[in-house]
Amino acid sequence: MRIGPVIVLLLALCDLVACGSAQSTSSFQSVSGQRMAERFQGPESPACPGVGGVHQVLDTTFTKNPITGKPIYTYVVSASGEPYYFYADNTGKQVTSHSSMSIAPYNGWITA
Amino acid sequence: MKVIFLGTNGWYDTDTGNTICTLINCENYHIVLDAGNGIYKLDRYIQDDLPVYLFLSHFHLDHIEGLHILNKFHFSQGLKIFGQKGTGKVLDTIMRQPFTVPIDMLPFPVEVQELSEGPYKLPFAMECRFLVHAAPTMGYRFDLDGKIIAYCPDTGVCENAVLLAEDADLLISECSHKPGEESPAWPHLNPQDACEIARRAGAKRLALTHFDAGRYTSIQERLDAAASVLDCSEIVVGLDGLVLKL
């Protein structure tokens, strides 16, 4: 499923990508970019200065984890022209979890 | 047609190899997959005037850090670079002074084409889809000389990887994680994941590459990892310099 680009968001990106730990709790059923914008509005995270702020959704795709069968919605967003990627399940809950980052050797930063 | 593994490491160079770069030499084209440090070996295998196409999966440095040596090549028909939207801006940012030779000052013409998901009719058929990674990453599927080659670099398990590899003659898949490892926060594949994608897709052959340099510190560890996969009919362990004939 693809949803068109050009939706400007205010979101706490740090909570959505590598360095955040917060997770959404309330659910949403729509997969529209607008709903995602409402869902993830928030202030810039002090944990990742410079990463929050105004972001533009560049692309949205839908995939399904063939092992678990769970759908994964992927969102490509841009902060100051730099793209980031994050994903959530169909309830809007972030799939990624801070605890599992320990497997990565990058102190929370993903570089490869 | 030959598939030549020029760099098979993920993250950084070690004694096991250079960062990722793969060359496909087919009848009428040279196809280069990603531009890690292994790309410096291109002129060992490209000694003709056929056109060269470079497909970038994403912009983590281990996939593009080799771009700074492009000025040692002399591609008589130029170089066509393909990547996701934003590729031009990224290349303009890193390929400039004081870092390296600006892209428009290379000794051959360079053309950059930005891609959205979907099929493309280049001089050959190509399809690209987003994979699942910590940065936007494109996977590719090529129809070259009657053979289907799928390239799924940095990704977690996802349906798009399966779609790209459907009935492929060769699936070139990353293998960053060790057997049994997985992390939704750092999406990569372990050898079992790669095998499962190949099996579901009906791919005839699976070649593993992009072994994380911090995890796979010896060639033997790569071989052991591949050997841990029991239900994969034909699996190839990518090594720098390995040539596969299709």
Side-chain angles (χ1 to χ4, degrees), chain B residues 139-158:
Chain B
Y140 296 95
R141 172 187 176 92
F142 303 94
D143 187 346
L144 300 164
D145 296 351
K147 301 284 187 182
I148 301 297
I149 298 177
Y151 178 55
C152 294
D154 296 21
T155 186
V157 175
C158 66

Side-chain angles (χ1 to χ4, degrees), chain B residues 84-181:
Chain B
Q84 61 190 266
K85 289 187 183 303
T87 294
K89 185 176 180 180
V90 170
L91 295 182
D92 285 342
T93 300
I94 63 168
M95 296 187 70
R96 62 187 302 176
Q97 288 295 306
F99 308 116
T100 188
V101 179
I103 197 165
D104 58 355
M105 298 294 285
L106 289 169
F108 47 83
V110 178
E111 179 183 323
V112 178
Q113 182 172 338
E114 298 186 348
L115 305 168
S116 295
E117 283 190 310
Y120 287 82
K121 193 67 177 177
L122 306 173
F124 45 87
M126 182 276 290
E127 180 181 356
C128 55
R129 292 174 179 269
F130 275 115
L131 301 172
V132 173
H133 191 43
T137 299
M138 281 276 196
Y140 296 95
R141 172 187 176 92
F142 303 94
D143 187 346
L144 300 164
D145 296 351
K147 301 284 187 182
I148 301 297
I149 298 177
Y151 178 55
C152 294
D154 296 21
T155 186
V157 175
C158 66
E159 192 67 16
N160 277 352
V162 178
L163 293 172
L164 288 170
E166 187 175 13
D167 296 326
D169 294 280
L170 175 66
L171 166 59
I172 303 170
S173 170
E174 70 126 295
C175 185
S176 299
H177 286 322
K178 298 296 284 285
E181 275 189 337

Side-chain angles (χ1 to χ4, degrees), chain A residues 2 59 61 63-67 74 76 80-81 83-85 87 95-97 100-101 103-106 110-112, chain B residues 11 60 62 89 117 130-136 154 157 159-160 181-188 196 200 212 215:
Chain A
R2 294 174 58 83
D59 208 344
T61 59
T63 57
K64 191 174 183 179
N65 185 323
I67 305 300
T74 56
V76 183
S80 304
Y84 291 90
Y85 215 33
Y87 26 94
V95 171
T96 56
S97 67
S100 60
M101 185 63 76
I103 196 169
Y106 311 134
I110 295 174
T111 60
Chain B
W11 197 8
H60 279 152
D62 55 333
K89 185 176 180 180
E117 283 190 310
F130 275 115
L131 301 172
V132 173
H133 191 43
D154 296 21
V157 175
E159 192 67 16
N160 277 352
E181 275 189 337
E182 59 180 84
S183 169
W186 189 48
H188 279 295
E196 179 64 10
R200 290 190 62 234
D212 180 72
R215 287 173 160 71

Side-chain angles (χ1 to χ4, degrees), chain B:
Chain B
M1 180 164 51
K2 293 178 180 177
V3 178
I4 304 154
F5 294 87
L6 304 179
T8 54
N9 275 23
W11 197 8
Y12 56 90
D13 291 347
T14 66
D15 291 343
T16 62
N18 291 121
T19 47
I20 187 166
C21 182
T22 309
L23 170 64
I24 304 171
N25 280 347
C26 49
E27 187 174 351
N28 296 313
Y29 320 102
H30 298 292
I31 312 293
V32 184
L33 306 175
D34 277 325
N37 281 331
I39 201 171
Y40 82 88
K41 304 164 193 167
L42 269 186
D43 48 7
R44 296 181 189 174
Y45 303 95
I46 297 180
Q47 296 170 346
D48 53 39
D49 293 327
L50 294 177
V52 181
Y53 297 80
L54 169 60
F55 291 85
L56 299 175
S57 62
H58 65 303
F59 308 120
H60 279 152
L61 281 175
D62 55 333
H63 292 251
I64 61 171
E65 61 191 331
L67 289 171
H68 74 101
I69 56 85
L70 284 181
N71 58 312
K72 88 179 187 110
F73 299 132
H74 299 280
F75 301 133
S76 61
Q77 293 202 49
L79 174 67
K80 293 180 175 60
I81 302 178
F82 296 81
Q84 61 190 266
K85 289 187 183 303
T87 294
K89 185 176 180 180
V90 170
L91 295 182
D92 285 342
T93 300
I94 63 168
M95 296 187 70
R96 62 187 302 176
Q97 288 295 306
F99 308 116
T100 188
V101 179
I103 197 165
D104 58 355
M105 298 294 285
L106 289 169
F108 47 83
V110 178
E111 179 183 323
V112 178
Q113 182 172 338
E114 298 186 348
L115 305 168
S116 295
E117 283 190 310
Y120 287 82
K121 193 67 177 177
L122 306 173
F124 45 87
M126 182 276 290
E127 180 181 356
C128 55
R129 292 174 179 269
F130 275 115
L131 301 172
V132 173
H133 191 43
T137 299
M138 281 276 196
Y140 296 95
R141 172 187 176 92
F142 303 94
D143 187 346
L144 300 164
D145 296 351
K147 301 284 187 182
I148 301 297
I149 298 177
Y151 178 55
C152 294
D154 296 21
T155 186
V157 175
C158 66
E159 192 67 16
N160 277 352
V162 178
L163 293 172
L164 288 170
E166 187 175 13
D167 296 326
D169 294 280
L170 175 66
L171 166 59
I172 303 170
S173 170
E174 70 126 295
C175 185
S176 299
H177 286 322
K178 298 296 284 285
E181 275 189 337
E182 59 180 84
S183 169
W186 189 48
H188 279 295
L189 300 177
N190 62 41
Q192 291 90 347
D193 291 333
C195 179
E196 179 64 10
I197 290 170
R199 188 192 63 75
R200 290 190 62 234
K204 298 179 181 67
R205 209 172 188 187
L206 169 65
L208 301 178
T209 187
H210 195 278
F211 294 91
D212 180 72
R215 287 173 160 71
Y216 291 91
T217 57
S218 70
I219 298 300
Q220 188 59 49
E221 288 181 75
R222 298 184 182 189
L223 299 173
D224 291 344
S228 72
V229 180
L230 302 176
D231 53 350
C232 209
S233 57
E234 187 166 2
I235 185 168
V236 175
V237 175
L239 304 172
D240 286 28
L242 176 70
V243 178
L244 284 183
K245 292 183 180 178
L246 295 184

